[in-house]
Amino acid sequence: VTLEQSGGGLVHVGGSLRLACAASGPPLDYYYAIGWFRQAPGNEREGVSCMTSDGTIYYANSVAGRFTISRDSAKNTVYLQLDSARPEDTAVYYCAAHYGCSWYPSDFSTWGQGTQVTVSS
């Protein structure tokens, strides 16, 4: 599987943004979990959200209630909707594929190219 990211950019505090992760290859709803990670300058890459192939969803405490992960099976694409954006959400966001969900980036072998999200006050 290969992953192509789109979306990202500049958003004001309290605003919304949607990131997309389009997969080429086997259907995600049969084979792969997609995790979203982010990395701010000077910080380690951290898990944000994950969806398994059967649709089970996980969120990090820092984004629960503000971010929403979803999947369009017809497009083989997973989305991350960012609502109520905060300055601390500023980071490069990555999607990644694995056979199951994990909060550890080292468990994921296939990564998207990353996209910058900047939340301005």
Side-chain angles (χ1 to χ4, degrees):
V1 65
T2 59
L3 303 176
E4 181 72 24
Q5 293 182 229
S6 60
L10 179 67
V11 61
H12 294 293
V13 170
S16 299
L17 203 62
R18 189 176 78 162
L19 309 180
C21 178
S24 297
L28 297 176
D29 51 3
Y30 279 98
Y31 292 102
Y32 291 104
I34 294 293
W36 284 97
F37 294 80
R38 66 186 181 186
Q39 188 166 20
N43 290 358
E44 294 185 353
R45 194 166 297 188
E46 64 173 355
V48 173
S49 182
C50 191
M51 175 183 281
T52 66
S53 57
D54 66 2
T56 303
I57 289 171
Y58 302 91
Y59 294 105
N61 290 338
S62 58
V63 306
R66 300 188 300 117
F67 290 12
T68 304
I69 191 171
S70 63
R71 183 173 64 207
D72 184 335
S73 296
K75 296 181 179 180
N76 214 28
T77 298
V78 172
Y79 301 95
L80 185 68
Q81 176 73 32
L82 286 65
D83 296 319
S84 302
R86 301 172 180 172
E88 55 264 37
D89 295 326
T90 296
V92 177
Y93 283 71
Y94 298 90
C95 63
H98 185 51
Y99 295 112
C101 280
S102 168
W103 294 118
Y104 299 100
S106 58
D107 287 338
F108 290 77
S109 57
T110 301
W111 290 82
Q113 78 275 22
T115 186
Q116 177 71 45
V117 172
T118 302
V119 183
S120 67
S121 55

